[in-house]
Amino acid sequence: MPSPLTCRLADADEQIAAQKAAIARFEAALWADGFDEKLLASYQSAWRRLEALLERHGERERHRFVVVIPVADSPVHLRDCLASLLELCNAYGYGGLRDGRWHKVSVLLADDSGDADAIARHRAIAADFTRRGLVVEYFGLAEQLALMDGLADLDLSAIVGRHPREAFHHKGQAMTRNIAYLKCAALQAANPDEPLLVYTLDADQEFRVNVATPEGPRGVCAVNFLHHLDAIFADPAVEVLTGKVVGDPPVSPSVMAGNFLEDVLGFLHEMASSSPDAPYRQPHAGGGGDAAYHDMADLFGFKPAGQPYRFHCPLPGTLDNAACFAAFAARLNSFFHGEHPTRITWYQPADPAASVQPARTVYTGNYVFRPAALRWFIPFAPLRLRMSGPTMGRMLQAEMGAGFVSANLPMLHKRTLEATGQSEFRPGVHDASRAVDLCDESERQFHGDVMLFAMQRLAALGYPRAALPESLVDQTLAELRAEMRERYHAKQQAILQRLDLLTTVLRDPNGWWHAHPELAEANAAFESFAANIARNFAADSPCQARLDAAARCEDWHARQRAAILGLHADRQAWNAALARLGLPSPAGGGAGGEGATHA
């Protein structure tokens, strides 16, 4: 006869299995016909019941999450981000509450701000959420400096940069993350037996997904991120997992201008062939494939979009063309801050466990890893290049193989604030009286693309496991710069051709928008948008001059070459820092040089 304990365990297993089956039924119904919001509360409740069962009867100790959030001068985004995490905890109950706090979820807030008021607001926000049950450790400039002082004898400059003590801010996401990872190493060393996952995201993201509703896009707390990640990392072979983002694109406006112009031109053509008081024809929400926003989607293996995308007018009630003309005009400037008003990315429901597959790109604003993977810092961070995540991903793909995966766990990305249409803080984009300068961001995007595809070629030759000759690194960088400049030039020409067409349609005296005084501001916004495109993409623009300036190109080439050639020495210094902080070196690690596999 089975013992009472055996019976209780069997009964618990049956309860857990039954609850999982109930969740599966709820989930199928939730997404059966788009998104059924009426079922969301019941779906979340079913998850909370499962979480309670797992906490009482689970067969293994579940992971604790340290959520690392770098932030710079962005208190509104930060509050929204933390509010979404607290909502996730309350809705799905991962790990349960102990003494009024979520004991398996905490936040490490790495502040990179330069504004004293923003710093004070960030501290206050951290304290507020801690009082509400979500423990947020504030890791500010003083705390970062104190940590680095303890490692001052190690040369980590190629990983965290060199910064004056009095200006230890605005280091950028990559360097700030690397410093935060050192802090995570110390946290793990203090509790070496705890199953920990480091979950890093950007402050302008939320633990929600973007769904289509009759009223337009909406972010909803409809994915139990923490449970799914805990389950996926139950497989010891998984070391690093990356998700994606939905909502606003994760790339620079400098590589979205071509297809956005296509959409703006399509909008104006549609308006020109309609009357201002006719009902606006809303697009079907929820369409679009991967990288539909990217002018060079083919570079990443995606098929470019064939048709213009239409604008979803967000105004309530019955809409006419004139009202939506003004609404679209009001969003145009937001494009230069990273929003894409027509090519929004939507959540496509799919079982996260079944979606796990080998990865090649790290979304630095949404990836998770075990403490052992702290040996992989974000490479080449002081260059402050865009595309640092895809570059890192190519290296992880080459070195980690099947341990580096992706899953269908995208976070909601919001580049801009609804009230202003601008980002709170966006280095590289300068906006004064609607005159936008993208030169810095465009340059970092271009050389980031060079670095990414150079890394792809070098990885095929054995890098970074093997040291490569300097001449080969030189040749690869030079070839990629020439190839990428040719692509950028072709895209620039296409942009200018579309711009000519757009201004012709916009300024056509027969366009009904000229006859409506109430649309004067909207007309001015379209003209301002066209002027900003010309300012940044015309043949004689300062941005294009930067990409062709010989001295600047030579400087970028020299810094990229030095970074690539110096990686093995940087890995030795990083491993020494991890050891100093009490994190054991991984098996076979620490040597650095040729054949080194640990970063």
Side-chain angles (χ1 to χ4, degrees):
M1 176 180 293
S3 70
L5 175 60
T6 301
C7 291
R8 286 198 300 272
L9 291 175
D11 183 55
D13 288 343
E14 289 178 2
Q15 290 180 53
I16 290 172
Q19 194 60 32
K20 288 181 177 180
I23 288 170
R25 290 193 298 271
F26 268 120
E27 186 156 4
L30 184 68
W31 301 105
D33 186 21
F35 172 70
D36 189 346
E37 187 174 5
K38 298 187 296 295
L39 293 176
L40 182 58
S42 297
Y43 175 67
Q44 294 169 339
S45 177
W47 272 111
R48 291 195 299 274
R49 288 194 292 273
L50 175 63
E51 291 290 340
L53 287 169
L54 291 172
E55 280 298 293
R56 290 198 301 269
H57 306 296
E59 61 184 15
R60 60 179 175 83
E61 185 179 359
R62 308 178 77 206
H63 292 94
R64 184 170 80 84
F65 288 86
V66 173
V67 181
V68 176
I69 307 176
V71 64
D73 302 316
S74 301
V76 176
H77 276 314
L78 175 63
R79 182 171 286 280
D80 288 346
C81 178
L82 291 176
S84 75
L85 177 54
L86 184 57
E87 179 187 13
L88 180 78
C89 292
N90 288 328
Y92 294 96
Y94 180 79
L97 283 165
R98 289 186 185 173
D99 301 321
R101 293 190 172 184
W102 295 99
H103 77 288
K104 286 194 178 296
V105 185
S106 64
V107 176
L108 180 66
L109 182 61
D111 201 342
D112 194 32
S113 300
D115 179 75
D117 178 64
I119 291 171
R121 292 174 68 184
H122 292 163
R123 283 185 178 274
I125 289 168
D128 178 44
F129 278 91
T130 298
R131 284 191 296 270
R132 294 162 63 184
L134 177 62
V135 176
V136 181
E137 179 178 355
Y138 182 80
F139 186 51
L141 305 181
E143 292 83 359
Q144 294 169 36
L145 281 166
L147 176 65
M148 298 311 300
D149 285 345
L151 304 170
D153 59 312
L154 301 174
D155 184 7
L156 299 172
S157 59
I159 303 169
V160 302
R162 297 183 187 276
H163 314 278
R165 296 186 73 85
E166 65 278 7
F168 198 71
H169 58 268
H170 292 176
K171 300 178 292 295
Q173 64 84 18
M175 285 182 279
T176 303
R177 274 194 168 88
N178 284 340
I179 294 172
Y181 295 165
L182 292 171
K183 174 68 172 177
C184 290
L187 293 175
Q188 176 65 9
N191 296 280
D193 297 326
E194 181 180 45
L196 178 70
L197 293 175
V198 178
Y199 192 169
T200 182
L201 51 129
D202 289 335
D204 62 355
Q205 294 176 190
E206 299 175 14
F207 287 89
R208 299 188 175 99
V209 291
N210 197 42
V211 300
T213 72
E215 293 75 35
R218 183 169 165 225
V220 293
C221 185
V223 174
N224 190 352
F225 291 89
L226 303 180
H227 172 90
H228 290 306
L229 287 166
D230 171 72
I232 291 170
F233 276 90
D235 178 354
V238 176
E239 288 197 72
V240 177
L241 180 147
T242 186
K244 295 186 179 182
V245 295
V246 290
D248 290 332
V251 301
S252 165
S254 63
V255 290
M256 300 193 296
N259 60 49
F260 186 52
L261 275 170
E262 196 75 48
D263 298 347
V264 177
L265 184 59
F267 177 84
L268 288 176
H269 276 304
E270 182 179 345
M271 292 295 100
S273 63
S274 308
S275 62
D277 55 354
Y280 182 70
R281 187 172 58 92
Q282 289 280 30
H284 171 69
D290 284 334
Y293 47 77
H294 203 299
D295 284 349
M296 294 180 283
D298 59 306
L299 268 176
F300 302 91
F302 299 110
K303 184 179 179 180
Q307 298 294 326
Y309 281 44
R310 299 184 65 253
F311 173 64
H312 186 284
C313 189
L315 301 176
T318 303
L319 309 171
D320 61 28
N321 287 326
C324 291
F325 182 93
F328 192 25
R331 301 310 303 175
L332 290 174
N333 195 62
S334 299
F335 169 78
F336 298 104
H337 292 267
E339 188 180 295
H340 201 307
T342 47
R343 304 198 184 199
I344 297 167
T345 308
W346 304 89
Y347 175 63
Q348 302 294 330
D351 176 23
S355 73
V356 173
Q357 60 184 317
R360 65 171 186 171
T361 289
V362 170
Y363 284 81
T364 52
N366 181 12
Y367 79 106
V368 189
F369 54 91
R370 300 182 188 277
L374 282 166
R375 63 190 186 273
W376 273 279
F377 54 84
I378 299 178
F380 320 131
L383 295 177
R384 301 192 67 165
L385 293 170
R386 295 194 62 84
M387 310 304 287
S388 62
T391 300
M392 177 185 186
R394 299 313 193 267
M395 298 169 69
L396 292 185
Q397 182 185 41
E399 292 193 293
M400 192 181 290
F404 174 41
V405 300
S406 67
N408 186 44
L409 290 166
M411 300 187 70
L412 179 60
H413 189 210
K414 293 183 175 179
R415 288 279 200 187
T416 59
L417 301 182
E418 189 63 34
T420 65
Q422 298 185 3
S423 301
E424 279 188 279
F425 175 73
R426 188 171 175 84
V429 177
H430 307 282
D431 190 339
S433 301
R434 286 192 171 180
V436 180
D437 181 343
L438 296 176
C439 292
D440 182 59
E441 183 162 284
S442 297
E443 186 175 28
R444 291 188 298 116
Q445 178 71 46
F446 173 77
H447 291 287
D449 283 337
V450 171
M451 194 68 157
L452 165 61
F453 291 103
M455 191 54 54
Q456 188 165 294
R457 290 188 187 178
L458 294 174
L461 298 172
Y463 184 87
R465 286 183 178 275
L468 298 176
E470 181 175 345
S471 59
L472 180 57
V473 174
D474 258 327
Q475 178 185 343
T476 303
L477 285 170
E479 288 175 353
L480 259 300
R481 185 198 170 276
E483 292 172 22
M484 203 58 61
R485 189 66 188 102
E486 186 175 341
R487 278 184 170 269
Y488 267 65
H489 181 72
K491 189 53 62 177
Q492 176 204 12
Q493 295 305 304
I495 287 170
L496 295 179
Q497 289 171 8
R498 292 187 182 106
L499 179 61
D500 284 343
L501 293 171
L502 185 148
T503 53
T504 297
V505 177
L506 179 63
R507 296 169 186 171
D508 183 346
N510 295 317
W512 51 255
W513 44 89
H514 298 299
H516 290 256
E518 69 275 14
L519 294 178
E521 186 175 346
N523 278 294
F526 273 98
E527 290 286 355
S528 176
F529 170 76
N532 279 321
I533 292 292
R535 181 176 291 111
N536 290 281
F537 293 95
D540 59 351
S541 74
C543 299
Q544 303 305 312
R546 276 199 192 193
L547 299 186
D548 291 321
R552 296 187 76 89
C553 291
E554 290 171 6
D555 180 62
W556 275 111
H557 182 95
R559 286 192 289 152
Q560 288 173 300
R561 176 185 60 204
I564 293 170
L565 294 173
L567 180 65
H568 291 152
D570 300 335
R571 291 178 159 187
Q572 289 181 317
W574 181 258
N575 283 338
L578 295 180
R580 179 82 56 83
L581 293 167
L583 196 70
S585 295
E594 184 168 347
T597 61
H598 309 293

